[in-house]
Amino acid sequence: MARYSQLGFVDAASPLMEQMIFFHDHAMVVLLLIINFVLYMMIYFTVQKFICRTIYESQFTEFLWTVIPAIILVFLALPSLRLLYMLDEIGDSALTLKCIGHQWYWSYEYSDYSNEVSFDSYMIPTDDLEPGDFRLLEVDNRAVVPYGCNVRVLVTSEDVIHSWSVPSLGVKVDAIPGRLNQMGFYLNYPGVFYGQCSEICGANHSFMPICLEGVDAKSFTAWLNTLEAYQK
């Protein structure tokens, strides 16, 4: 039996992804109504032996089928513009995570602290996976962030164009050499969230996964202190 995630979106782990799913459902309802109405009219006019000429030549009918689609577009455009504004709004962030794309791995930097912490994140080969690990998604060093607070993500690249994408967070940012793009997200709950590079970047494009782990603030501080002590 197919799981729901195979038919729809993955479970939302951020308010942005929740809003994206709500907008998708809203648009699908409108589309289904349009499809059903058009299908009904096509069948109705097909089976009728005689169609009144007033239907084809009525100015009022032409007015309706011009105005009604415009109203429908407004009902689709307003929530869409609101969502686009929310995606671009970053606000005050408690943490800045810098992601640097390489062929074919990711580097992460935490620069908000006195001692800058950085590390590389490579995909774990299939032969080295532990039971329960996900093939092509597990990495040797996960990026760790606290949940329940705003996180700002800075994305760039050192060679070719990559794309840092985590579907459950509703985040997808292009990593472009010489340019720094940014986006924010808010983790609703702890967990491990997976993503992949979403821009074809070479022969091993499918082998540079993204693994983000959300923990509480106390565990994040302890992890950061351990990493700082290890890198000294």
Side-chain angles (χ1 to χ4, degrees), residues 13 28 64 87 96-98 107 119 130 165 171 174 176 197 217:
M28 285 301 296
L64 286 181
L87 291 174
T96 298
L97 174 64
K98 186 176 181 181
S107 296
F119 57 89
E130 299 291 336
S165 174
V171 174
D174 287 340
I176 302 174
C197 177

Side-chain angles (χ1 to χ4, degrees), residues 127-139:
D127 296 337
D128 298 335
L129 291 176
E130 299 291 336
D133 288 347
F134 294 101
R135 179 177 173 270
L136 301 181
L137 291 177
E138 297 292 346
V139 297

Side-chain angles (χ1 to χ4, degrees), residues 80-154:
S80 176
L81 294 174
R82 171 180 172 271
L83 182 58
L84 287 174
Y85 177 79
M86 292 175 60
L87 291 174
D88 288 336
E89 187 70 19
I90 295 179
D92 296 331
S93 58
L95 174 69
T96 298
L97 174 64
K98 186 176 181 181
C99 311
I100 305 173
H102 309 266
Q103 288 182 314
W104 289 271
Y105 64 95
W106 292 96
S107 296
Y108 297 99
E109 296 180 2
Y110 297 80
S111 56
D112 290 339
Y113 307 94
S114 56
N115 296 323
E116 182 176 303
V117 176
S118 62
F119 57 89
D120 298 330
S121 180
Y122 291 87
M123 185 193 74
I124 298 178
T126 303
D127 296 337
D128 298 335
L129 291 176
E130 299 291 336
D133 288 347
F134 294 101
R135 179 177 173 270
L136 301 181
L137 291 177
E138 297 292 346
V139 297
D140 55 356
N141 294 311
R142 294 174 175 174
V144 180
V145 296
Y147 72 91
C149 62
N150 291 318
V151 178
R152 182 177 64 158
V153 181
L154 302 178

Side-chain angles (χ1 to χ4, degrees), residues 5 10 25 37 54 58 88 94 103 114-115 129 150 175 202 209 217 219 222 229:
S5 60
V10 296
D25 296 341
F37 175 75
T54 57
S58 171
D88 288 336
Q103 288 182 314
S114 56
N115 296 323
L129 291 176
N150 291 318
S219 299

Side-chain angles (χ1 to χ4, degrees), residues 176-190:
I176 302 174
R179 179 172 178 176
L180 202 62
N181 292 329
Q182 67 174 352
M183 192 172 187
F185 65 85
Y186 180 97
L187 270 179
N188 289 338
Y189 50 83

